[in-house]
Amino acid sequence: MSPVHATGELLASRKVGAYHHLSVVARGVAEEFRPGTFVAVTVGTPGTSATLAPRPLWIHRVRPVGGHGLALQLVLEVRGAGTRWLAEQPVGARLAVTGPLGRPFALPKEPVACVLVGEGYSAAPLFPLAERLRERGCPVTLLLGAPDESRLLSALEARRSARAVTVVTRDGSVGQRGEIADAVTEVLRRAEAAVVYAAGPEPMLHAVAAAAEAHGAWSQCAVEQPLACATGLCHGCPVPVVGEDGVARTVRACVDGPVFRGDRVRWTELVR
């Protein structure tokens, strides 16, 4: 389905820990949302020299807002001029939104045990995914990680989204001290996972995909690459994979992904 180009309205903007949560109404975008898809938001005032490339943002939630219809809940971390501009926009600001973009997570046909693994703000698409899986009768386990408590996304919501939750922080400020890679094998074993979904930095995705394969589970990973156009035109977000025909090739994260089978990505070439 073709993405929708819409002029959105910023309904709310708030800082939560190290991240900014934006609530945006962009008619036609939220209605087509599937967990794992994303939007591209134009940065800067159109037609001025301040305009930068659109910023891809994960969709964290889609919720009805009284009088406005469905609103997109977006999460961003300020890392440069573009994300800073977005975080500083006042309520009521008009934003150019394109989406939903990309290929979503595939859902199992049977109610099998699923483990969802996310790190930092990149865990955002796992929360609506958990809702969809629970609607299908799948037992859901969440494994969330972050450098510290301020970068742990929606830990309280996670308790309501999953049957079991494991939290790992690098500094030990909340949950277990360590990395996701240290904990994932045991979580997969306890959950008796049949399917594993992951979103986060590439080294973490690599570790989760390897753990899933060793466990005998099927994995899907949302690969987050810097995107210039977000529509596939510029070929600026290459992901090395092995196709179903066994042939190595390079695909685009924005339109061929961002969700890929974990056993199809050539991680040693992607993670450098």
Side-chain angles (χ1 to χ4, degrees), residues 179-257:
E179 305 280 352
I180 282 177
D182 303 328
V184 65
T185 297
E186 176 59 18
V187 171
L188 297 184
R189 187 193 65 77
R190 286 202 307 265
E192 300 180 346
V195 182
V196 182
Y197 299 92
E202 290 158 1
M204 184 277 277
L205 296 179
H206 186 190
V208 171
E213 188 166 359
H215 180 74
W218 184 56
S219 67
Q220 295 183 53
C221 299
V223 177
E224 187 174 350
Q225 291 278 70
L227 305 180
C229 75
T231 60
L233 295 175
C234 73
H235 291 256
C237 52
V239 177
V241 301
V242 176
E244 294 186 3
D245 55 4
V247 176
R249 54 174 57 89
T250 299
V251 296
R252 297 159 295 179
C254 61
V255 294
D256 301 306

Side-chain angles (χ1 to χ4, degrees), residues 123-134:
L126 299 181
F127 288 80
L129 174 63
E131 291 183 2
R132 298 292 175 93
L133 292 171
R134 289 171 56 199

Side-chain angles (χ1 to χ4, degrees), residues 37-227:
T37 56
F38 61 97
V39 296
V41 182
T42 298
V43 172
T45 303
T48 73
S49 58
T51 302
L52 303 173
R55 289 296 182 273
L57 301 177
W58 290 119
I59 301 171
H60 187 35
R61 299 283 195 192
V62 170
R63 290 283 187 266
V65 175
H68 295 280
L70 291 175
L72 301 164
Q73 311 295 321
L74 310 175
V75 180
L76 64 89
E77 181 178 29
V78 174
R79 292 183 169 181
T83 47
R84 185 178 303 110
W85 183 89
L86 285 170
E88 292 174 347
Q89 291 307 291
V91 170
R94 300 290 178 175
L95 300 173
V97 179
T98 300
L101 296 164
R103 299 167 66 90
F105 291 108
L107 302 178
K109 295 179 180 178
E110 303 294 331
V112 297
C114 298
V115 171
L116 282 54
V117 186
E119 181 170 330
Y121 73 90
S122 298
L126 299 181
F127 288 80
L129 174 63
E131 291 183 2
R132 298 292 175 93
L133 292 171
R134 289 171 56 199
E135 290 170 358
R136 289 174 171 246
C138 297
V140 173
T141 296
L142 267 170
L143 170 57
L144 297 177
D148 53 47
E149 186 173 10
S150 71
R151 289 175 171 78
L152 185 66
L153 182 68
S154 303
L156 291 179
E157 288 186 42
R159 308 288 179 188
R160 295 190 289 268
S161 301
R163 181 181 62 174
V165 180
T166 298
V167 171
V168 178
T169 52
R170 200 165 298 143
D171 67 351
S173 53
V174 60
Q176 303 176 22
R177 180 190 296 273
E179 305 280 352
I180 282 177
D182 303 328
V184 65
T185 297
E186 176 59 18
V187 171
L188 297 184
R189 187 193 65 77
R190 286 202 307 265
E192 300 180 346
V195 182
V196 182
Y197 299 92
E202 290 158 1
M204 184 277 277
L205 296 179
H206 186 190
V208 171
E213 188 166 359
H215 180 74
W218 184 56
S219 67
Q220 295 183 53
C221 299
V223 177
E224 187 174 350
Q225 291 278 70
L227 305 180

Side-chain angles (χ1 to χ4, degrees), residues 7-20:
T7 299
E9 178 183 354
L10 182 62
L11 297 182
S13 176
R14 63 191 179 106
K15 192 170 186 297
V16 181
Y19 306 129
H20 280 267

